[in-house]
Amino acid sequence: MLNLSQNGCSVWVASSTEGLLTPTAVALGKFDGVHLGHQRVIQPVLQQTKRQVPETTLGEQKLVADERNLLKLSPSDSTTATSQQRNPTASTHEHTYSTVVTFHPHPQEFFSGQPRALLTPLDEKVEKLRSLGIEQLVLLPFDKELSALSPEDFVEKILVQQLRCQQLSVGQDFCFGKQRTGTAKDLQLLAAKYHIPVTIVALETYTGNDNLPTDSNCLSIPPTQEPPISTSLIRQTLENGDIKSANLLLGSPYTLFGVVIQGKQLGRTIGFPTANLQLPKDKFLPRLGVYAVRVFIIDETPDVAHPLLGVMNIGNRPTVDGTDTSVEVHLFDWSGNLYGKKLAVQIVQFLRPEQKFSSLEALKTQIQLDCTVAKEVLLSE
């Protein structure tokens, strides 16, 4: 199944191992956020595929990913015919596909039994990887069977037999196999038995705040004074409203993608109409409060250099006794019907926490102040 994106590239959707594009050059990890550290891990597999001169021109990039038809890769799919102690080398005329291999659901969600909000839900992750030049995304179904694999079995049954892996890239803090017993160095040694080179990418570090957490718990990682860039670090900065740091770590603005739906239209009654966004249910939200934002109407914003500007509120609307968390955006100097349209909202700066006001008039006064501050912030960017 092919889905065409805005730039004309195709998305190849596979629901079985028969649809897998092999051989592969694999970047392996969770890649939630596709942040600067992740991008460094991905670079070696892109460089590998760029060095090739394919026998025929690849007219379209293919990205294997689908939320409803996850690629079914399991140890039981392996065949004994490819279990010899050798690398299933590709023909000199075969194209090696730059591939990101990750897990679905997130391992933490599997072990905790609780849904986990993500910095990049699947659709976002696909687009980010596509923009980097990745040709294929493989989602390993993280279940009891996969979690029980030893490091040795993971390499042989998944990487060698099913993915026909020719090259691997992982971060220095990568752990795998049953109870996370395998380290990046272990992977390097195990893959060497099949003549698969493994690039271990040193961790990118962050110099902003030494008190923020890290995302690494493998014993092979030496302690550092500066925390490595990690998904946990970015989540913490977002929870604190430190948008500047989060955006620097991500390498791009943290963005909410949502469809405009019907709201209670209370903003319209006080002169500040808002677009109510319906986000993916697994999208991670930053600290509740008010933000300065840049907004793009997907498929309609004519010039990406001139986005719409506005303020966004994430919260429960305590002034009007709201209970559910909502995301509302007010656009400056704009009017029109946005219902049903998809917006991309880039978060630029946290302005203030959500608070309850004594009256709608007091709320209106504060929104006017928020708009003034937001315009100053956005126009100074």
Side-chain angles (χ1 to χ4, degrees):
M1 176 179 176
L2 289 175
N3 294 333
L4 291 181
S5 67
Q6 297 175 51
N7 59 12
C9 291
S10 63
V11 179
W12 180 262
V13 179
S15 58
S16 69
T17 53
E18 285 75 20
L20 184 62
L21 304 176
T22 63
T24 59
V26 171
L28 187 58
K30 294 189 285 288
F31 297 104
D32 183 27
V34 196
H35 55 62
L36 289 178
H38 292 150
Q39 292 172 35
R40 283 199 60 189
V41 174
I42 289 169
Q43 279 304 310
V45 304
L46 293 174
Q47 293 165 2
Q48 163 69 15
T49 55
K50 285 177 181 176
R51 285 195 293 266
Q52 301 177 59
V53 181
E55 187 175 18
T56 58
T57 301
L58 294 176
E60 296 178 328
Q61 288 187 339
K62 301 176 181 67
L63 214 60
V64 177
D66 184 74
E67 195 166 19
R68 297 163 299 282
N69 298 307
L70 299 183
L71 197 59
K72 303 298 184 183
L73 285 181
S74 66
S76 59
D77 290 332
S78 304
T79 60
T80 57
T82 57
S83 62
Q84 301 172 25
Q85 297 292 308
R86 62 180 179 84
N87 179 17
T89 54
S91 150
T92 55
H93 296 299
E94 277 189 293
H95 176 72
T96 300
Y97 292 91
S98 58
T99 300
V100 164
V101 175
T102 187
F103 307 94
H104 184 91
H106 191 285
Q108 185 171 327
E109 180 173 325
F110 171 78
F111 287 116
S112 69
Q114 300 297 317
R116 179 177 173 84
L118 302 173
L119 299 180
T120 47
L122 184 59
D123 286 348
E124 277 188 64
K125 182 178 288 186
V126 168
E127 288 305 316
K128 280 183 170 287
L129 294 176
R130 187 207 310 278
S131 70
L132 294 174
I134 285 294
E135 296 169 289
Q136 178 171 228
L137 171 64
V138 176
L139 301 171
L140 295 178
F142 198 88
D143 52 19
K144 186 177 181 180
E145 185 178 14
L146 185 68
S147 66
L149 285 181
S150 67
E152 294 82 0
D153 284 345
F154 182 85
V155 171
E156 179 180 352
K157 295 181 178 181
I158 303 296
L159 299 179
V160 175
Q161 295 177 0
Q162 296 188 36
L163 291 167
R164 292 180 63 212
C165 182
Q166 307 298 304
Q167 178 190 351
L168 276 166
S169 179
V170 295
Q172 185 183 357
D173 60 348
F174 179 72
C175 297
F176 70 108
K178 185 177 181 180
Q179 297 180 340
R180 295 170 57 84
T181 53
T183 66
K185 286 291 187 182
D186 294 331
L187 179 63
Q188 200 169 48
L189 292 172
L190 291 169
K193 298 178 181 179
Y194 303 93
H195 309 291
I196 301 173
V198 177
T199 301
I200 299 177
V201 178
L203 300 178
E204 286 274 310
T205 57
Y206 174 61
T207 59
N209 187 338
D210 293 341
N211 296 321
L212 292 175
T214 70
D215 197 28
S216 172
N217 59 8
C218 289
L219 297 179
S220 62
I221 302 303
T224 60
Q225 293 183 346
E226 299 169 348
I229 296 176
S230 67
T231 299
S232 290
L233 182 62
I234 295 169
R235 291 168 71 98
Q236 184 66 62
T237 58
L238 291 170
E239 287 174 347
N240 292 341
D242 185 2
I243 303 303
K244 181 179 180 181
S245 292
N247 290 347
L248 287 172
L249 297 173
L250 285 165
S252 60
Y254 191 62
T255 303
L256 306 182
F257 293 89
V259 176
V260 179
I261 60 173
Q262 187 84 28
K264 295 185 177 181
Q265 299 184 326
L266 292 174
R268 192 179 305 273
T269 65
I270 57 174
F272 293 95
T274 59
N276 291 263
L277 289 185
Q278 183 178 59
L279 305 177
K281 62 181 180 180
D282 54 349
K283 178 66 175 180
F284 181 85
L285 290 178
R287 180 182 179 182
L288 300 187
V290 179
Y291 294 85
V293 296
R294 291 188 291 259
V295 180
F296 300 85
I297 304 174
I298 304 298
D299 294 331
E300 290 189 19
T301 303
D303 186 356
V304 295
H306 296 90
L308 302 170
L309 306 181
V311 289
M312 175 178 67
N313 183 76
I314 303 176
N316 302 319
R317 298 167 297 166
T319 303
V320 293
D321 298 322
T323 55
D324 298 327
T325 300
S326 65
V327 178
E328 302 175 78
V329 179
H330 170 69
L331 299 176
F332 304 144
D333 307 316
W334 192 92
S335 63
N337 184 5
L338 288 173
Y339 290 126
K341 298 186 184 298
K342 186 174 183 179
L343 305 185
V345 182
Q346 295 181 348
I347 305 178
V348 177
Q349 184 169 309
F350 177 77
L351 300 181
R352 64 171 176 85
E354 185 176 49
Q355 61 189 101
K356 184 172 183 176
F357 295 92
S358 59
S359 65
L360 287 178
E361 189 62 33
L363 173 60
K364 179 179 178 179
T365 299
Q366 181 59 56
I367 294 176
Q368 290 172 331
L369 292 174
D370 293 337
C371 290
T372 299
V373 175
K375 288 178 182 178
E376 292 175 356
V377 168
L378 294 166
L379 293 175
S380 66
E381 286 284 308

